[in-house]
Amino acid sequence: MSELRAVDTHCPYCALQCGTRLAQERGAVLVQPTDFPVNRGGLCQKGWTAPSLLEVPDRLRRPLVRRGGELVPVSWEAALDTVASGLDRVRRERGPDSVGVFGGGGLTNEKAYLLGKFARLALGTSQIDYNGRFCMSSAAAAGTAAFGLDRGLPFPVTDLGGADVVLLAGANPAETMPPLMQHLRSPDLIVVDPRRTATAERAALHLQPLPGTDLALALGLLHIAVVDGHVDGDFVRERTDGFDAAWRRAMSWWPERVERVTGVPATDQREAVRMLAGAGSAYVLTGRGAEQHSTGVDVVSGFINLALALGLPGRRGRGYGCLTGQGNGQGGREHGQKADQLPGYRMITDQSAREHVAGIWGVPPEVLPGPGRSAYELLDALGTDDGPSALLVFGSNPVVSAPRAEHVVDRLRSLNLLVVADFVPSETSELADVVLPVTQWAEEEGTMTNLEGRVLRRRRLRPAPGHARSDLEVLHGIATRLGEPGHRYPTRPREVFDELRRASAGGKADYAGISYERLDAGEALHWPCPDVRHPGTPRLFLDGFAHPGGRAQFAAVEHRDAGEQPTELFPLTATTGRVLAHYQSGAQTRRVAELNDASPAAFVEVHPDTASRAGLAHGVLARVTSARGSAIAEVRVVPTMRTDTVFLPFHFPGDGRANLLTGDALDPRSKMPEFKASAVRIEPHRDVVSE
């Protein structure tokens, strides 16, 4: 019998980062869940089938370079030389900001850190951002404004199991992170979602607002809390500022007005506040449904205001949190791949932050560029007179995941050089001039940071197949060809992490006391962890919030309409989201037979009356059209849908891309695109046959 090799690691998908044990026997990789706190021996369908992704037939195994219009295999030396010479040519002709870098929320902390360093030193560009801008940026901005610090959950996931009531605003964990639901069995759930999702089916109370009206609902809930006497006055006086200004904005949002705007009955609004206020232990949690609006920061702030008024944040057994989506959505935004940030969650415009990080990197502070464009703004600028003419993409698939998708394709095609590093082909890599095959989770070491700010070890089970290399090796290879000293770009994850610790020291996301040795010894370490004797911080804000003076801040927010409203031509509102079987752009999960069989093609959920008016029936193909374009999807008639709303998942390629419909309206602070509210019409799909 062959020797069994096994490692303890974590699932490659969502921000729960469920604990798993991978074993390899006779070449096959087997997965078993471990008794890690967030999953306690459970896994979702994606986690159970994750090893299948290691063996997909079209796994990228050799570098590819476009020659004569075709991507052909070449050596690593030829591929890296092509990349470096192309970057060097573009930079000499148009300056360092002529090169852009687009990262991903699934990259390890080490990769995210080195990618930011590479962009700012080896390339000298300010033009770096990542797909996490589409995921949690609105909650990050709102949380920072309210509490002085952004960490998805400022408490362990396991605390939720002891709650009496949990409000979920725009979150559907029953499908997006099923193992979380075991922590939500005991609490009564209040679910805010325009759809009757799998999570809403389990709710004690479902509030079903029109997409784009979430803030009106949040203002109405605060209004009820004040008028009905549910505000925790002692907490508000002793631990917060700004309540009066926030209340003045909510004062005019009485329940009946909120009902007219949102469609949520006034009686249900009052019941939601009564449930939260009457609970001994309660939490308010937000997700993408609250964030992905051109008013996303204000929407999340509205729900934070409600939580503060009820005295929830900064107390054991109570609180506010955000359900981070991508696997390293938390750590990925802390260490420098965002356009406006440096490692440790430092702002790139802060001179002391620049001096600290530059000192770690061994360069003068003035060498570091300033803030660049946010994710969509970066993609929109590609190939324009003042935008990048070369782009490097690491771990992202914007052809499917970005808003206004066909426009993004046009921008990518306008580039002089597009380089994509990934481990399976994607719709974005199909457009690339150079494709670099990189390792995936079972083939590499590193760390991830889950939604509760806990730093975790990713462990290597087996070597990479073919000629695949780690992203760290790729960055080293390009940087040295551009004339950078090799020691500045380590290829060993532990060495990169040790540098990350020093760079983050003293920042809001302080990893200085976290080490591979402590993690490998089994310590549970949540940041901030400022020194090696510090136990980590699983629960934030118990002794005060992170603002000077220790007080949380209410936000004076007001409801605004979505970026576009329904019209006679586009009378419906389309909202987008995820389904159980798939993850993000689907480039991974659509390659796993079991998952693809469960959800093989794009679909659109429509109320029976809406379908009837449009001449549609269950199972036929429909064309959904916005001002940007059309998507083709199979009709699913769903009686619980609102008659004014349709839903499309965003995991599918080609004509099924939901993001063919979404627009370029951005939140002014977070730069989050408005994925959740697009004006559309729906009609039967009729193939046009050329004569």
Side-chain angles (χ1 to χ4, degrees):
M1 183 174 180
S2 62
E3 181 182 354
L4 180 68
R5 170 167 166 71
V7 296
D8 286 337
T9 188
H10 295 270
C11 178
Y13 290 113
C14 81
L16 277 182
Q17 286 295 286
C18 294
T20 60
R21 170 161 291 184
L22 292 182
Q24 181 165 291
E25 186 173 15
R26 298 189 180 93
V29 176
L30 310 174
V31 64
Q32 288 292 327
T34 61
D35 193 30
F36 187 65
V38 300
N39 60 304
R40 290 177 173 168
L43 282 180
C44 73
Q45 189 178 23
K46 292 186 288 292
W48 279 112
T49 58
S52 301
L53 196 59
L54 299 168
E55 304 296 344
V56 292
D58 61 347
R59 172 74 189 270
L60 293 170
R61 296 169 182 268
R62 296 196 61 182
L64 306 172
V65 171
R66 193 171 296 278
R67 291 177 177 169
E70 299 293 327
L71 287 169
V72 298
V74 298
S75 69
W76 268 105
E77 288 67 27
L80 294 176
D81 287 347
T82 300
V83 173
S85 62
L87 294 175
D88 189 55
R89 181 175 61 254
V90 167
R91 292 163 69 225
R92 279 189 285 104
E93 292 173 355
R94 301 187 58 230
D97 276 356
S98 63
V99 179
V101 178
F102 199 86
L107 302 179
T108 63
N109 291 318
E110 293 81 358
K111 294 177 186 179
Y113 171 82
L114 203 67
L115 186 63
K117 181 181 181 181
F118 167 85
R120 294 179 173 108
L121 295 190
L123 299 177
T125 184
S126 67
Q127 302 298 295
I128 175 173
D129 211 70
Y130 81 130
N131 63 13
R133 181 75 67 171
F134 302 155
C135 179
M136 205 184 144
S137 57
S138 291
T144 299
F147 309 121
L149 186 67
D150 156 46
R151 199 178 83 188
L153 295 185
F155 48 80
V157 163
T158 49
D159 284 4
L160 295 171
D164 300 309
V165 176
V166 175
L167 183 147
L168 294 163
N172 181 21
E175 292 193 80
T176 59
M177 45 179 62
L180 180 66
M181 295 305 291
Q182 65 183 302
H183 302 286
L184 298 175
R185 288 174 185 155
S186 297
D188 287 332
L189 301 183
I190 304 167
V191 174
V192 179
D193 201 302
R195 300 169 57 228
R196 185 74 175 173
T197 63
T199 306
E201 289 285 351
R202 306 186 192 188
L205 180 63
H206 178 203
L207 309 182
Q208 199 167 2
L210 173 70
T213 65
D214 305 66
L215 182 50
L217 177 60
L219 288 163
L221 297 179
L222 178 59
H223 179 106
I224 293 168
V226 175
V227 172
D228 290 0
H230 295 304
V231 171
D232 186 332
D234 290 341
F235 178 90
V236 169
R237 283 188 298 273
E238 295 168 7
R239 301 197 61 186
T240 74
D241 290 320
F243 171 78
D244 289 344
W247 163 234
R248 282 195 293 272
R249 296 290 179 88
M251 192 179 296
S252 62
W253 287 95
W254 56 89
E256 291 73 21
R257 181 190 179 194
V258 172
E259 180 174 345
R260 288 197 300 272
V261 173
T262 68
V264 176
T267 53
D268 287 350
Q269 298 172 46
R270 290 190 172 94
E271 177 63 8
V273 177
R274 186 200 64 77
M275 289 173 63
L276 282 168
S281 172
Y283 292 86
V284 172
L285 305 178
T286 58
R288 304 299 79 71
E291 291 190 69
Q292 290 179 329
H293 298 278
S294 58
T295 58
V297 177
D298 287 351
V299 173
V300 176
S301 295
F303 284 104
I304 291 175
N305 284 349
L306 175 66
L308 288 172
L310 297 176
L312 304 183
R315 287 176 160 176
R316 280 186 178 269
R318 301 181 177 191
Y320 161 79
C322 172
L323 298 178
T324 308
Q326 295 187 77
N328 202 31
Q330 184 68 55
R333 69 179 182 276
E334 295 168 358
H335 298 300
Q337 63 172 335
K338 280 185 77 173
D340 54 354
Q341 290 181 190
L342 290 170
Y345 231 130
R346 290 179 161 92
M347 300 309 296
I348 202 167
T349 53
D350 181 336
Q351 184 58 31
S352 63
R354 294 170 63 86
E355 290 171 358
H356 172 81
V357 173
I360 300 297
W361 290 351
V363 298
E366 56 270 20
V367 168
L368 302 183
R373 294 178 173 94
S374 69
Y376 178 76
E377 292 171 320
L378 174 58
L379 295 171
D380 184 47
L382 297 176
T384 63
D385 290 344
D386 64 344
S389 55
L391 182 70
L392 287 76
V393 179
F394 285 79
S396 189
N397 186 17
V399 167
V400 175
S401 63
R404 204 180 168 197
E406 199 56 38
H407 173 70
V408 169
V409 170
D410 290 342
R411 295 293 88 224
L412 291 169
R413 285 178 171 152
S414 73
L415 291 168
N416 292 330
L417 177 67
L418 174 60
V419 180
V420 174
D422 215 327
F423 54 85
V424 292
S426 70
E427 289 70 27
T428 304
S429 73
E430 290 173 5
L431 304 178
D433 300 293
V434 182
V435 179
L436 303 175
V438 292
T439 53
Q440 57 172 310
W441 99 106
E443 303 153 1
E444 61 187 17
E445 297 285 324
T447 61
M448 308 283 277
T449 305
N450 77 348
L451 78 170
E452 50 185 12
R454 178 169 170 168
V455 182
L456 310 169
R457 278 280 279 120
R458 171 175 283 186
R459 295 182 176 88
R460 180 175 182 260
L461 175 72
R462 66 180 212 174
H467 297 272
R469 292 184 180 181
S470 75
D471 299 76
L472 302 182
E473 292 174 308
V474 169
L475 294 172
H476 176 93
I478 300 173
T480 53
R481 283 168 170 78
L482 294 175
E484 285 283 288
H487 67 82
R488 188 171 281 169
Y489 304 92
T491 59
R492 295 179 62 247
R494 185 182 299 252
E495 189 175 345
V496 177
F497 188 77
D498 285 342
E499 183 178 306
L500 178 159
R501 294 168 59 199
R502 298 193 300 275
S504 74
K508 290 182 177 180
D510 191 335
Y511 283 41
I514 302 173
S515 66
Y516 275 35
E517 289 77 14
R518 294 185 73 183
L519 295 174
D520 288 342
E523 291 191 61
L525 298 174
H526 301 71
W527 68 259
C529 183
D531 61 67
V532 294
R533 294 174 299 280
H534 195 282
T537 314
R539 293 176 184 85
L540 293 169
F541 312 136
L542 297 180
D543 299 321
F545 298 99
H547 285 299
R551 298 170 70 86
Q553 306 294 312
F554 280 87
V557 293
E558 180 57 87
H559 171 68
R560 304 189 307 278
D561 288 335
E564 63 181 18
Q565 294 294 296
T567 64
E568 185 176 353
L569 184 60
F570 302 113
L572 303 172
T573 299
T575 188
T576 68
R578 287 173 49 189
V579 298
L580 177 63
H582 290 301
Y583 180 71
Q584 299 302 94
S585 74
Q588 299 173 61
T589 50
R590 284 185 274 113
R591 286 178 161 78
V592 178
E594 181 178 332
L595 301 178
N596 198 57
D597 290 346
S599 186
F603 62 86
V604 56
E605 293 184 353
V606 188
H607 187 276
D609 292 347
T610 309
S612 178
R613 286 195 298 270
L616 297 167
H618 189 85
V620 305
L621 288 180
R623 178 183 295 272
V624 187
T625 302
S626 77
R628 271 76 53 190
S630 298
I632 310 302
E634 180 181 296
V635 172
R636 292 188 181 178
V637 174
V638 179
T640 57
M641 286 293 294
R642 292 179 56 111
T643 57
D644 52 11
T645 302
V646 298
F647 166 79
L648 300 93
F650 72 91
H651 312 289
F652 300 99
D655 290 340
R657 283 175 291 166
N659 281 317
L660 292 168
L661 308 174
T662 51
D664 56 7
L666 303 178
D667 184 282
R669 284 189 283 168
S670 68
K671 306 301 182 182
M672 170 73 82
E674 189 147 58
F675 291 105
K676 297 301 187 188
S678 302
V680 301
R681 67 174 180 267
I682 188 168
E683 56 201 343
H685 171 57
R686 297 180 178 89
D687 290 323
V688 178
V689 180
S690 59
E691 297 180 359

